[in-house]
Amino acid sequence: MIEMNQRFASLQEEIDGWEELEKEAKDLEDLVELGEKNVPFDELLKKIDNKKIKVFLSGKFDRNNAILTIVSGAGGRDAQDWAAILLRMYERYCERKGFKARVLSQSFGEPGPESRIGIKEAVLEIKGKMVYGLLRRESGVHRLVRLSPFSSKNLRHTSFALVDVLPELSDKSVDVEIKEDDLRVDTYRASGPGGQHVNKRDSAVRITHLPTKTVVSCQAERTQGTNRKTAMEMLKSKLTQLKEREAKKEMRDIKGKEVKVEWGSQIRSYVLYPYKMVKDHRTKEETAQVDDVLDGDLDAFIKAEIEIS
């Protein structure tokens, strides 16, 4: 009943939004008829454009929250630094959109110059309206080209990181059976950069689903029990996605050969040297405003991804 009420409230909000835009358009039309020359149509068109995007988000889980994972790939410390930059980019995107984001788990790399510490892997929980629908096409390999801050000769370096986005699922939407005998649960001490411990107890939890070799972990909470609960929710999401792909007989098309986080498999390139450019290789959307993109301005890329899907 609660989910139904929330669904109803969400639909009513969408209807109210369109009616408000219709009223705003009528007001502008009246201004034109009265001879007003400086009518702010651009602002209205932008609002309509944002509304149109939501029309495309009609997938089964598009309204859900999301679990976004970043894994550093080929490129050593540069790649770990790149993964940390991507994590910040998505956190800033969430701030811009009013989404709530928190890091569920992360493993850090080795310290570098200027106290730069990258990450090997990070898992970000994102809550908000249409989060999964907006971000699911961000899944893939992201490539960075720049002058390496880790190179004593200041050489150009190419780094890769893999982004994977899953929907966060409620118990009612999960149709997978997870047997306790199929799980291996490990506990460990949550740690930060340089080995600084977040907690004094082994509260972090890592769960391995043995039949599928799926691994999830959580260290965001202070107690082992709550970390285990969150990790189990992540596992359900991963196994549900796997089941969905198998049911549609798309596993071979989607997965095919294992995606390598390296040259030739990227979906988007971020070039900082010898010129500045971000280009999506699927939509051909590009911009020279690299700093803005890395600061979370992803709307143009996400809009292009949605419209071609």
Side-chain angles (χ1 to χ4, degrees), residues 8-70:
F8 176 81
S10 177
L11 290 174
Q12 186 61 55
E13 184 179 347
E14 287 186 31
I15 293 173
D16 292 344
W18 281 108
E19 289 180 345
E20 182 64 29
L21 287 178
E22 184 180 18
K23 180 179 180 300
E24 191 171 336
K26 182 65 171 61
D27 291 342
L28 294 181
E29 184 180 3
D30 291 342
L31 289 176
V32 172
E33 291 179 356
L34 291 172
E36 179 66 43
K37 295 182 178 180
N38 298 318
V39 180
F41 280 115
D42 289 345
E43 186 176 343
L44 176 62
L45 291 174
K46 185 176 180 179
K47 291 180 181 179
I48 293 175
D49 206 34
N50 289 333
K51 281 287 185 182
K52 284 169 59 181
I53 291 297
K54 292 185 177 181
V55 175
F56 290 93
L57 303 181
S58 57
K60 184 175 181 179
F61 301 119
D62 280 354
R63 293 176 179 271
N64 290 34
N65 299 321
I67 302 294
L68 185 148
T69 302
I70 302 170

Side-chain angles (χ1 to χ4, degrees), residues 222-235:
R222 289 188 174 274
T223 67
Q224 191 178 115
T226 49
N227 278 326
R228 178 185 172 114
K229 180 181 178 182
T230 302
M232 281 299 296
E233 291 172 353
M234 293 165 59
L235 179 61

Side-chain angles (χ1 to χ4, degrees), residues 2 31 40 57 117 124 161 172 176 247:
I2 294 178
L31 289 176
L57 303 181
I117 298 178
L124 191 65
K172 291 183 178 181
V176 293

Side-chain angles (χ1 to χ4, degrees), residues 67-72 82-83 86-87 89-90 122 135-142 160-166 261 267-268 270:
I67 302 294
L68 185 148
T69 302
I70 302 170
V71 182
S72 63
W82 173 222
L86 282 176
L87 176 60
M89 181 183 79
Y90 287 114
L135 289 175
R136 65 185 175 90
R137 299 163 189 84
E138 289 292 290
S139 293
V141 176
H142 294 242
F160 301 87
L162 176 67
V163 174
D164 186 36
V165 185
L166 293 171
V261 192
I267 63 168
R268 188 180 300 152
Y270 307 71

